[in-house]
Amino acid sequence: MRFRRAGDLMTSDAVRAGPATPVADVARVLAEHGIGGVPVVDDDDKVLGVVTRSDLTRRGGGRGLSGRPGTTGTTAGELMSVPAVTVRAVDSVALTGRTMAARDVGRLPVVDEEARIVGIITRRDLLRVFVRPDSDLRDEILDEVVVRALWLDPAPLTVSVVDGVVTLRGRLGCAADVSVAAGMTSRVAGVVAVVNELTGPVGALGLPDELRRR
């Protein structure tokens, strides 16, 4: 499904700093972009640590949210918090959200399989998964569930979405697909509930099941 992994939601052009970047430049970047922290990367784009506003506060002689004493570091490499908390581009949205909550951070560097930075994901990015227009949900269900996953012709089916509640109507050629379609639809990010009014194939006598039982 779309929007199921961190790499689908991240911002690719992540603002970053090098270990030799002066603290003053880091502070300016945070202010200009209105962000709470920047990843510090080496020449191979591997994440070494993160410099946050709290780290800058500690440098000023105060104490950051972690309670650690101030530091006199003058570069990002001297000031950064290590190890950096990151997520992989292939990590699920659910895992990404749990990591943010557990670490009490609002943004995380996203890395590839070789630990190189490929983007940044924020809490706001995660909210996009759950706050989506009904039309987007309907398009995804038809394309990803009905056509790509179940290999079904969407023409005989009706998919309606109102405030995230999906109603499925129509007759499927395979009885097993009725529950599978509903289950897969319920797992589409942003779906609140599924009303399953799908029915199975016609009975052995060529009549719909409900008529054949009369």
Side-chain angles (χ1 to χ4, degrees):
M1 305 298 170
R2 283 177 257 170
F3 293 150
R4 305 302 284 182
R5 301 182 185 278
D8 298 325
L9 292 171
M10 69 182 185
T11 299
S12 298
D13 53 342
V15 178
R16 64 196 76 180
T21 301
V23 168
D25 290 346
V26 174
R28 184 171 59 252
V29 167
L30 295 183
E32 289 177 351
H33 293 271
I35 55 180
V38 292
V40 181
V41 302
D42 63 15
D43 293 338
D44 199 30
D45 274 344
K46 292 186 177 180
V47 180
L48 304 174
V50 174
V51 176
T52 68
R53 289 178 180 174
S54 296
D55 295 323
L56 294 176
T57 299
R58 290 200 308 277
R59 181 178 183 273
R63 289 178 179 268
L65 295 179
S66 64
R68 288 184 294 175
T71 177
T72 58
T74 60
T75 66
E78 295 170 340
L79 195 65
M80 66 185 181
S81 298
V82 295
V85 181
T86 63
V87 291
R88 298 176 303 162
V90 296
D91 285 343
S92 70
V93 168
L95 176 60
T96 302
R98 288 196 297 270
T99 302
M100 283 188 181
R103 298 289 185 150
D104 191 25
V105 294
R107 56 195 292 115
L108 289 171
V110 182
V111 299
D112 60 17
E113 62 278 0
E114 296 182 352
R116 294 186 177 92
I117 190 168
V118 292
I120 289 287
I121 188 166
T122 68
R123 285 175 179 162
R124 179 173 295 182
D125 295 327
L126 294 183
L127 286 176
R128 289 167 49 201
V129 172
F130 303 102
V131 183
R132 301 175 60 190
D134 290 339
S135 58
D136 283 1
L137 291 175
R138 181 180 182 277
D139 290 345
E140 179 170 343
I141 292 164
L142 286 171
D143 183 44
E144 300 287 340
V145 175
V146 175
V147 176
R148 296 178 182 272
L150 298 177
W151 289 23
L152 298 176
D153 178 5
L157 305 180
T158 299
V159 177
S160 59
V161 186
V162 178
D163 295 332
V165 178
V166 181
T167 300
L168 304 174
R169 297 187 181 93
R171 183 175 298 280
L172 302 182
C174 175
D177 285 342
V178 173
S179 59
V180 172
M184 295 187 69
T185 297
S186 70
R187 291 192 291 273
V188 171
V191 169
V192 174
V194 178
V195 178
N196 186 9
E197 297 183 0
L198 295 171
T199 57
V202 296
L205 297 179
L207 296 174
D209 290 339
E210 63 269 25
L211 296 179
R212 187 167 59 88
R213 289 194 295 267
R214 294 181 181 177

